[in-house]
Amino acid sequence: MKILVVGSGAREDAICQALQKNSQNVVFCAPGNDGMKLSGIKTISIEENDFERMANFAQTNSIDYTVVGPEEPLVNGIVDFFKRQNLKIFGPNQQAAQVEGSKTFTKRLMADAGIPTAQYQEFTKLEDALNYLKIVSDFPIVIKADGLAAGKGVFIAPDLVAAAEVVTDLLAEHKFNTRRVVIEEYLEGEEFSLMAFVDHKRFYPMPLAQDYKKILDGDLGPNTGGMGAVCPVANISKNIEQEAIENVLKPFVTELYDQGIKYTGILYAGLILTKKGIKVIEFNARFGDPETEVVLPRLQSDLSEIIEQILCHKKIKKIDWQIGGLNLGVFAVSKGYPIKPVFGSLGDRDTFKKCSLMINYASVRREQQQLYSHGGRLYLIQAQAETVEDAQTKVYQELEKMDQTNIFYRRDIGKNSI
């Protein structure tokens, strides 16, 4: 099959490499990045929101179907655009993508479905939000931008002063183009991610994963798009996993269908195990990043066939996943990320080609024989091993061989699973 993947990050690299496991597939990525070329992925210089050029490419090159990686083109309606051109595309349509595009839309869906989540209030006016904060009795409190913010629109405010500053940034300064905020209770517990393939009423869960969002070891510092991940999650029991499937995933998929939203694509549930049980932090309308980078390498079934069957609305009898061991991935990011990333050389291209582990590339560009940073998160190195300690040893040994001048990485990814 000829398959087009939309996006440019490590998640899209992981999707492309999973699709390439079937040697009959030819995989393109638009726009992709220069690092992807090292694993034979054909990158196409079309921006992810240029729907017309993207569709023209799919038509001209007889693409069998397109897979959308990032949330922005989904929320902007790429699926609807492709379908109007009679092109097959894997992902939720614009209405269904509100699951990620609007926090309030999703909160209401969860309320209708009886799914446990944090108590919340929503505000469009700064004055109303500030007045509400003055009567809040329990801090810290969580403030979310109602819209897309590239994983950086969630703020944990420790006190009234910090909370007032955040809502002012969002509702007065319109950071992330925010026009509405959700203020909700702070939940404590163990966070984990549950993704699933969804075909209207049918869904097929993936193994649990856990990502590490804070920039510094020990889960300190500001949030990032994700500094690393592990799959499966040793400290979440099989009973809890089944409970998440039955009490969160199943009723949410059912509620979407019952409300006339025919969801096709990937559904991501960000969950937390609290003292009062599982609660939902968020839903996303696509593969998680960096979770995808450690989940898809465990897939033993053919990803391209799974997607093809879902697009044809055929029931899948079984999806096989690796049972033993685990996968662990660590992101190398630009020094200064997420506040002010430093751009510079990452080292010789041959150094990356000689790496004994799988690398998923994100914001990198090539100049002659060198790779350079082109953003915050640069590349993720991941390993499969029987234990977390063995996986950590493998990954960090390879990371230490890389040019350290302009990169930074956490050294405790997987700590929760030890």
Side-chain angles (χ1 to χ4, degrees):
M1 282 189 285
K2 285 185 174 181
I3 303 167
L4 173 63
V5 176
V6 178
S8 63
R11 166 185 51 213
E12 287 74 41
D13 192 341
I15 293 168
C16 289
Q17 292 199 42
L19 292 167
Q20 284 181 323
K21 287 182 181 178
N22 182 332
S23 60
Q24 302 301 308
N25 293 336
V26 178
V27 182
F28 302 89
C29 190
N33 65 66
D34 286 347
M36 291 181 179
K37 298 173 186 177
L38 299 180
S39 53
I41 299 163
K42 301 176 188 299
T43 62
I44 309 299
S45 297
I46 302 174
E47 291 305 310
E48 60 192 40
N49 282 300
D50 192 343
F51 300 166
E52 189 166 343
R53 285 189 65 205
M54 199 83 72
N56 286 341
F57 177 85
Q59 288 171 330
T60 304
N61 291 274
S62 302
I63 297 295
D64 289 282
Y65 61 76
T66 298
V67 180
V68 187
E71 60 275 19
E72 189 176 340
L74 291 170
V75 171
N76 290 342
I78 189 172
V79 171
D80 310 72
F81 187 91
F82 268 54
K83 286 185 174 179
R84 286 194 294 270
Q85 315 294 320
N86 295 315
L87 293 168
K88 283 187 175 181
I89 184 165
F90 183 69
N93 62 23
Q94 191 168 27
Q95 181 194 24
Q98 287 184 84
V99 161
E100 181 160 2
S102 171
K103 302 289 189 296
T104 56
F105 172 83
T106 309
K107 285 285 191 182
R108 290 165 190 163
L109 273 173
M110 284 191 278
D112 292 340
I115 296 170
T117 185
Q119 295 180 351
Y120 75 101
Q121 297 283 337
E122 55 187 82
F123 300 93
T124 56
K125 295 181 179 179
L126 176 60
E127 185 181 359
D128 293 344
L130 292 173
N131 287 337
Y132 173 76
L133 289 171
K134 290 173 185 175
I135 62 171
V136 169
S137 56
D138 292 325
F139 282 92
I141 200 162
V142 179
I143 302 166
K144 297 179 178 179
D146 184 48
L148 299 182
K152 301 178 184 69
V154 178
F155 304 87
I156 300 171
D159 51 40
L160 176 58
V161 173
E165 185 177 330
V166 170
V167 296
T168 301
D169 280 349
L170 294 173
L171 290 179
E173 303 299 326
H174 301 298
K175 187 176 184 179
F176 308 121
N177 293 315
T178 304
R179 293 293 183 272
R180 183 191 304 267
V181 299
V182 171
I183 301 177
E184 63 181 37
E185 66 173 318
Y186 175 73
L187 299 175
E188 287 189 273
E190 193 74 29
E191 294 186 30
F192 60 102
S193 307
L194 172 60
M195 297 188 290
F197 299 99
V198 180
D199 176 14
H200 294 186
K201 287 193 291 186
R202 290 192 286 258
F203 66 94
Y204 309 92
M206 302 182 203
L208 297 184
Q210 189 167 57
D211 76 326
Y212 294 76
K213 287 186 169 61
K214 297 290 187 179
I215 185 69
L216 301 174
D217 288 0
D219 296 322
L220 300 175
N223 271 349
T224 69
M227 294 295 290
V230 64
C231 174
V233 185
N235 49 332
I236 299 294
S237 70
K238 283 293 179 184
N239 287 341
I240 294 298
E241 181 177 4
Q242 195 57 38
E243 187 181 328
I245 292 168
E246 291 297 324
N247 296 344
V248 175
L249 211 52
K250 186 175 181 179
F252 194 74
V253 170
T254 300
E255 188 63 36
L256 282 166
Y257 189 83
D258 289 347
Q259 293 199 21
I261 301 169
K262 294 182 178 179
Y263 196 105
T264 301
I266 302 298
L267 184 64
Y268 168 112
L271 307 173
I272 184 167
L273 180 59
T274 72
K275 291 179 180 178
K276 295 181 179 179
I278 298 170
K279 291 194 176 186
V280 176
I281 298 173
E282 64 180 354
F283 277 104
N284 291 327
R286 38 71 190 178
F287 278 111
D289 186 2
E291 293 95 336
T292 303
E293 290 92 297
V294 294
V295 171
L296 283 186
R298 302 186 65 79
L299 178 62
Q300 295 183 326
S301 299
D302 186 332
L303 177 61
S304 61
E305 287 186 6
I306 292 170
I307 294 173
E308 174 73 17
Q309 286 178 285
I310 289 174
L311 288 173
C312 294
H313 304 297
K314 293 180 180 177
K315 186 176 182 180
I316 300 171
K317 292 181 180 178
K318 187 183 180 186
I319 296 177
D320 293 317
W321 298 91
Q322 183 165 337
I323 303 300
L326 70 134
N327 287 65
L328 182 143
V330 179
F331 249 117
V333 306
S334 296
K335 285 183 177 177
Y337 174 75
I339 308 301
K340 193 176 181 181
V342 173
F343 295 169
S345 173
L346 303 176
D348 193 275
R349 189 179 65 140
D350 288 340
T351 304
F352 290 91
K353 291 179 74 173
K354 290 174 185 175
C355 180
S356 62
L357 300 178
M358 180 183 286
I359 302 180
N360 295 127
Y361 295 92
S363 298
V364 301
R365 60 182 175 83
R366 178 186 170 187
E367 287 186 15
Q368 296 180 335
Q369 297 304 310
Q370 297 275 313
L371 288 184
Y372 285 80
S373 55
H374 194 57
R377 294 192 299 170
L378 304 172
Y379 57 88
L380 176 140
I381 297 182
Q382 72 96 11
Q384 191 170 103
E386 288 302 311
T387 68
V388 172
E389 292 91 344
D390 286 347
Q392 287 176 325
T393 298
K394 287 182 178 181
V395 171
Y396 288 116
Q397 279 180 349
E398 292 301 319
L399 276 168
E400 285 165 10
K401 294 176 186 176
M402 299 300 179
D403 188 329
Q404 307 291 304
T405 307
N406 294 308
I407 66 170
F408 172 83
Y409 47 89
R410 277 184 60 163
R411 297 177 181 272
D412 65 345
I413 300 299
K415 67 183 180 63
N416 300 47
S417 294
I418 295 176

